[in-house]
Amino acid sequence: MRLLIAIALIFTLAACFPNNPVKMSMTANPLPNTPEVAAAGKVIFEQRCQMCHGAEGRGDGAAAPALATKPANLRLLNNKPEGLIAMRIIGGGSVMPAWKNILTDEEIWQLSRYIKTISQQEAQTVAKK
Ligand code: HEC
């Protein structure tokens, strides 16, 4: 019971603060579904993410061999809601930095859309083979 109350409290607190990862993970991408949004995400990706995740997002960037954990292949996230992708970007990982205080919410949603787009392309290519 105490655990339940603790969990409920965490979610309530989380919901009170805007732009927090828990809330964002449950939110659909608020940006319009246009090619411009994905294109904006691509520009940020090339500046901030490509060195680790690779030009096509396959996890084979120039810095990848030097890392303790291999960067994720970002073309395989077709099944993940964009909110979850956004949460992963916000929170970072054991190797990946947390982007919460570096990127704006809008930039994070643009990146989520871009990653979703290349994952959909990848899924279609695989289906055709
Ligand atoms: C320093 C190298 C590095 C940079 C820069 C980097 N990442 Fe990562 N990323 C990783 C690694 C390594 C992982 C695997 C989790 C971990 O860190 O242990 C990861 C995981 C992820 C995941 C989770 C994938 C999954 O399977 O759910 C997403 C999404 C992601 N990165 C997006 C990005 C985006 C977007 C950027 C640019 C804003 C970025 N990354 C920049 C190294 C990096």
Side-chain angles (χ1 to χ4, degrees):
M1 192 60 199
R2 253 189 222 159
L3 184 67
L4 279 180
I5 293 171
I7 292 170
L9 196 66
I10 289 169
F11 272 87
T12 314
L13 277 176
C16 293
F17 293 96
N19 315 332
N20 67 77
V22 174
K23 197 172 175 190
M24 219 154 166
S25 72
M26 296 184 289
T27 310
N29 195 329
L31 302 179
N33 194 4
T34 60
E36 286 77 20
V37 171
K42 185 174 200 273
V43 173
I44 307 165
F45 182 87
E46 283 165 357
Q47 290 164 354
R48 308 264 194 180
C49 325
Q50 181 171 316
M51 68 284 256
C52 289
H53 288 281
E56 299 192 315
R58 295 184 194 278
D60 55 358
L67 301 174
T69 308
K70 197 180 168 332
N73 182 342
L74 300 180
R75 303 183 71 91
L76 302 178
L77 302 182
N78 194 28
N79 295 330
K80 283 209 178 146
E82 284 180 52
L84 272 184
I85 299 175
M87 192 184 82
R88 293 299 310 265
I89 300 171
I90 289 172
S94 59
V95 168
M96 179 165 78
W99 295 97
K100 191 177 175 17
N101 299 321
I102 302 170
L103 300 171
T104 64
D105 279 7
E106 187 182 23
E107 288 172 320
I108 290 169
W109 284 121
Q110 287 166 339
L111 281 163
S112 305
R113 177 63 53 71
Y114 173 64
I115 291 170
K116 188 77 177 179
T117 306
I118 59 174
S119 290
Q120 281 165 348
Q121 285 166 358
E122 185 77 12
Q124 279 160 11
T125 318
V126 172
K128 267 185 215 148
K129 273 181 196 157

